[in-house]
Amino acid sequence: MSVKEKIAQLREQIDMHNHRYYVMDDPIIGDAEYDSLFRELQSLETRHPELQTADSPSLRVGAAPLKVFAEVQHRTPMLSLNNAFSEGEVRAFDARIRESLGMDEIEYAVEPKFDGLAITLSYREGVFVKGATRGDGSVGEDVTENLRTVRDIPLRLKENIADVELRGEVLMFNRDFEALNASQRAKGDKEFVNPRNAAAGSLRQLDSRITAARKLSFFAYALGYCEGVTLPGEHHQQMALLQSWGVSVTKQRRVVRGVEGLLEYFRDMGEMRASLPFAIDGVVYKVNDTVLQQRLGFVSRAPRFAIAHKFPAEEASTTLLGIDIQVGRTGALTPVARLAPVFVGGVTVTNATLHNEDEIRRKDVRIGDTVIVRRAGDVIPEVARVVLERRPSDAREFVMPTVCPICGSHVSKAEDEAVSRCSGGLFCPAQRKQALLHFASRRAMNIDGLGDKLVEQMVDASIIRTPADLYRLGILAIVNMERMGEKSAVNLLAAIEHSKQTTLARVIFALGIRNVGEATAKDIARHFGSLDAILAADEDALLQVRDVGPVVAKSIVSFLQEPHNIEVLEQLRACGVMWSEHEMQSTVEQPYSGKTFVLTGTLISMSRDEAKERLEALGAKVSGSVSKKTDFVVAGAEAGSKLEKAQTLGVTILDEQQFTRLLEIN
Ligand code: IVH
């Protein structure tokens, strides 16, 4: 391709992207990619001035204004800024300025680079008369009526300045953006991609009542034409003057000296960025002295005295090569995008989360698609959206596997849940460590001395795979673990041995079935009386158990349908884990059968666990949260929100003394 053809191709591409970005508010490439096209064109045009034309997009800043708004000719052009993407480019900028001015050190006014939409506001005798978008830099769109709805744009300045034009940025605060998208979602309308597009979409409404309903904000960052006031000779002071007129300017502006001052500000703002209430995409450096600004002057579309130092792009487009499945410690299956490497947010990204199957459907992501990858702050990179225009004809839909890619157990998904899960809880290597720790925990099998470090080592060394392996451990295997003395090893073996004599409720709880907590495990044990009866139960039978609803019943069935889990249970029995069956099936009505207690605050005479056990021995159920169904709340010292809730709901409240009396008389 000849240089001329390449230039023509770049102009066409940039025009198209400008249109999508500025007119349609629906960009299909990230900022970094756009910047790189723009720079390529600029550099070719600089090297081949004979190929420059008056209509090149490099000379324009945005797209042509929408025809429906009246056109406004700007009295002084609305300029753009050159960009720096690296420390080297910032040093070169400072060196250029020092050299042209013949000075050793420059004082700069530094500000955030607001990620919004440039506008100009005209005031006559202090009254707001006209507001316009930048458009192509010389002609913009008249959006006066819409701008009047922006609350922090003053309709009258505090000074009656004869004739002044303010330049600044309209943007949407993050919280207002979230709220707007939530309401778009609720109405079934299209959501906005980011706050800047939301701000642009809101400002370009032909009906200003719609703009008024959207919360827009404004920050001024420069003066345009000005008559009737003597301006201070420094940019920073000019901003302070605007503030004294009642105009909104940012608190984050500073004056710094030299290039080190610039770079320090860049670092500081980079750190502050995530906690700012609005989006910024970099910082802007301006020579503070306005006389020096004039001496430096302008090149085509941008001033020589200022530069934007951009943060690394947080969005970039790339190809989705495939979708892998990751199995988490709790068995959740997460689809992960495998991407062609792309530089985004300062790092090269090759994987990004797709969250879950519903998200993939909602975003209509297919393998082979061009996707926009987003990385904000420290957040894990995610696939933000698909560029449908670039979908290849052979793009493939993703299908969630029906078996776990790690252990081959079946995968299930509750109707009202987005997450798919592996049901091989006791068997799946991905869930092994978590499952073992839960199994050994105090309220489950109560194996003292089996902590997370030990489990980690034993699993990593493949000494234990399932809970049944614990009962086959020999002393040698344990002693060989790090930080394991002979005495602790003997104690651990004794604890394991001791745990074999247990209760059915503990075994059920120890299995780590999703949604089956200690209380439910007890209810189930009491209801069925034997493990075989539980294994034989279907969903309907499980629904007969007190407090077991459809969600819990489904989890249990799904767990027990998995042959791998049954195998582990059989192995446990074969290893000598035992409990006396039927002992808990109680037909005698106990004093507090059917009553629900909630314990809150600190009890002096006994631990929370003891209180719970004693209540349960009386047939009561102990729950963690207060509801209308709660019969009693036991409030110890420093009881907080649960006590308040009990008071609002009118639940009977017992103090410690009343509670201990209740235990004594029963
Ligand atoms: S000064 C004469 N200051 O960035 C210089 N611009 O990429 C005029 N922007 O069109 C611009 N924050 O929309 C300036 N603190 C700031 C800015 C800022 C955001 C925008 C503005 C401009 C664009 C250039």
Side-chain angles (χ1 to χ4, degrees), residues 79-81 111-114 118 134 169 221 284 286 303:
L79 298 165
S80 188
L81 292 169
E111 297 163 357
K113 185 171 191 303
F114 308 105
R134 183 173 58 187
E169 200 91 346
Y221 52 63
V284 181
K286 300 170 182 174

Side-chain angles (χ1 to χ4, degrees), residues 317-472:
S317 63
T318 187
T319 313
L320 176 64
L321 304 173
I323 296 179
D324 291 341
I325 295 293
Q326 244 171 31
V327 185
R329 291 191 319 143
T330 59
L333 267 60
T334 308
V336 177
R338 250 187 323 108
L339 305 164
V342 60
F343 194 69
V344 48
V347 296
T348 301
V349 168
T350 49
N351 293 312
T353 179
L354 284 159
H355 301 290
N356 55 54
E357 198 178 7
D358 291 354
E359 276 285 295
I360 296 182
R361 298 275 168 269
R362 194 174 68 77
K363 290 178 178 162
D364 188 19
V365 177
R366 307 213 186 148
I367 299 162
D369 268 341
T370 295
V371 293
I372 306 281
V373 180
R374 178 165 53 208
R375 194 172 167 277
D378 290 335
V379 180
I380 312 163
E382 63 167 358
V383 170
R385 57 188 185 276
V386 171
V387 183
L388 288 176
E389 289 77 359
R390 291 210 208 157
R391 169 164 290 164
S393 54
D394 60 350
R396 273 184 300 128
E397 271 198 56
F398 165 77
V399 197
M400 196 60 148
T402 50
V403 294
C404 169
I406 307 283
C407 75
S409 299
H410 76 266
V411 166
S412 67
K413 180 167 169 243
E415 270 159 37
D416 48 355
E417 255 202 75
V419 180
S420 302
R421 288 177 195 278
C422 162
S423 55
L426 294 178
F427 177 81
C428 180
Q431 300 167 67
R432 219 166 252 168
K433 291 177 187 168
Q434 168 111 335
L436 282 163
L437 277 173
H438 173 76
F439 182 84
S441 64
R442 201 165 45 83
R443 293 203 181 134
M445 300 301 279
N446 193 19
I447 304 178
D448 204 16
L450 193 71
D452 51 359
K453 293 275 174 313
L454 197 56
V455 165
E456 183 136 1
Q457 284 186 63
M458 290 188 172
V459 168
D460 290 346
S462 300
I463 293 173
I464 37 177
R465 292 195 174 79
T466 74
D469 292 333
L470 286 171
Y471 296 97
R472 302 187 189 116

Side-chain angles (χ1 to χ4, degrees), residues 407-409 423-428 432 439 465-469 471-472 507 511 531-532 535 558-577 579:
C407 75
S409 299
S423 55
L426 294 178
F427 177 81
C428 180
R432 219 166 252 168
F439 182 84
R465 292 195 174 79
T466 74
D469 292 333
Y471 296 97
R472 302 187 189 116
V507 173
L511 299 178
L531 181 62
D532 291 327
L535 295 181
S558 163
F559 182 92
L560 297 177
Q561 263 173 4
E562 181 49 56
H564 293 129
N565 294 333
I566 303 295
E567 234 167 81
V568 176
L569 269 170
E570 297 302 342
Q571 287 171 12
L572 283 173
R573 281 210 270 206
C575 289
V577 174
W579 53 91

Side-chain angles (χ1 to χ4, degrees), residues 300-317:
S300 70
R301 65 175 193 129
R304 273 202 199 87
F305 60 78
I307 199 160
H309 189 181
K310 300 276 281 271
F311 292 134
E314 290 196 318
E315 281 194 359
S317 63

Side-chain angles (χ1 to χ4, degrees), residues 460-498:
D460 290 346
S462 300
I463 293 173
I464 37 177
R465 292 195 174 79
T466 74
D469 292 333
L470 286 171
Y471 296 97
R472 302 187 189 116
L473 277 177
I475 186 99
L476 273 181
I478 305 179
V479 171
N480 274 337
M481 296 293 111
E482 261 170 53
R483 280 175 300 199
M484 234 324 141
E486 206 169 306
K487 183 143 183 286
S488 335
V490 170
N491 286 345
L492 176 61
L493 270 187
I496 293 175
E497 192 57 31
H498 187 70

Side-chain angles (χ1 to χ4, degrees), residues 163-405:
D163 191 355
V164 65
E165 254 181 61
L166 308 181
R167 300 279 159 88
E169 200 91 346
V170 161
L171 46 83
M172 193 175 278
F173 274 47
N174 298 336
R175 55 159 198 269
D176 300 325
F177 167 70
E178 305 292 345
L180 172 60
N181 266 355
S183 100
Q184 294 286 103
R185 240 189 335 267
K187 287 189 285 185
D189 289 345
K190 198 174 160 218
E191 290 180 49
F192 291 96
V193 171
N194 54 37
R196 182 192 48 217
N197 288 319
S202 303
L203 192 62
R204 287 233 193 69
Q205 291 291 337
L206 286 171
D207 181 348
S208 58
R209 284 172 302 184
I210 299 180
T211 315
R214 309 267 176 89
K215 283 198 173 161
L216 292 172
S217 302
F218 170 76
F219 286 113
Y221 52 63
L223 276 157
Y225 182 85
C226 187
E227 190 189 302
V229 64
T230 316
L231 293 175
E234 289 182 3
H235 175 79
H236 192 77
Q237 290 172 351
Q238 290 186 356
M239 293 301 104
L241 181 68
L242 294 192
Q243 195 169 22
S244 76
W245 294 347
V247 177
S248 145
V249 294
T250 175
K251 279 195 289 231
Q252 271 82 27
R253 61 204 177 85
R254 277 192 225 159
V255 174
V256 301
R257 300 192 71 86
V259 69
E260 297 309 326
L262 298 180
L263 295 170
E264 190 188 337
Y265 180 70
F266 179 76
R267 284 189 293 270
D268 287 355
M269 289 308 288
E271 277 171 26
M272 215 193 276
R273 180 183 192 188
S275 57
L276 286 177
F278 49 83
I280 64 174
D281 59 344
V283 292
V284 181
Y285 309 140
K286 300 170 182 174
V287 172
N288 195 22
D289 185 320
T290 52
V291 174
L292 298 182
Q293 285 189 356
Q294 275 155 24
R295 262 172 61 195
L296 287 160
F298 302 85
V299 251
S300 70
R301 65 175 193 129
R304 273 202 199 87
F305 60 78
I307 199 160
H309 189 181
K310 300 276 281 271
F311 292 134
E314 290 196 318
E315 281 194 359
S317 63
T318 187
T319 313
L320 176 64
L321 304 173
I323 296 179
D324 291 341
I325 295 293
Q326 244 171 31
V327 185
R329 291 191 319 143
T330 59
L333 267 60
T334 308
V336 177
R338 250 187 323 108
L339 305 164
V342 60
F343 194 69
V344 48
V347 296
T348 301
V349 168
T350 49
N351 293 312
T353 179
L354 284 159
H355 301 290
N356 55 54
E357 198 178 7
D358 291 354
E359 276 285 295
I360 296 182
R361 298 275 168 269
R362 194 174 68 77
K363 290 178 178 162
D364 188 19
V365 177
R366 307 213 186 148
I367 299 162
D369 268 341
T370 295
V371 293
I372 306 281
V373 180
R374 178 165 53 208
R375 194 172 167 277
D378 290 335
V379 180
I380 312 163
E382 63 167 358
V383 170
R385 57 188 185 276
V386 171
V387 183
L388 288 176
E389 289 77 359
R390 291 210 208 157
R391 169 164 290 164
S393 54
D394 60 350
R396 273 184 300 128
E397 271 198 56
F398 165 77
V399 197
M400 196 60 148
T402 50
V403 294
C404 169

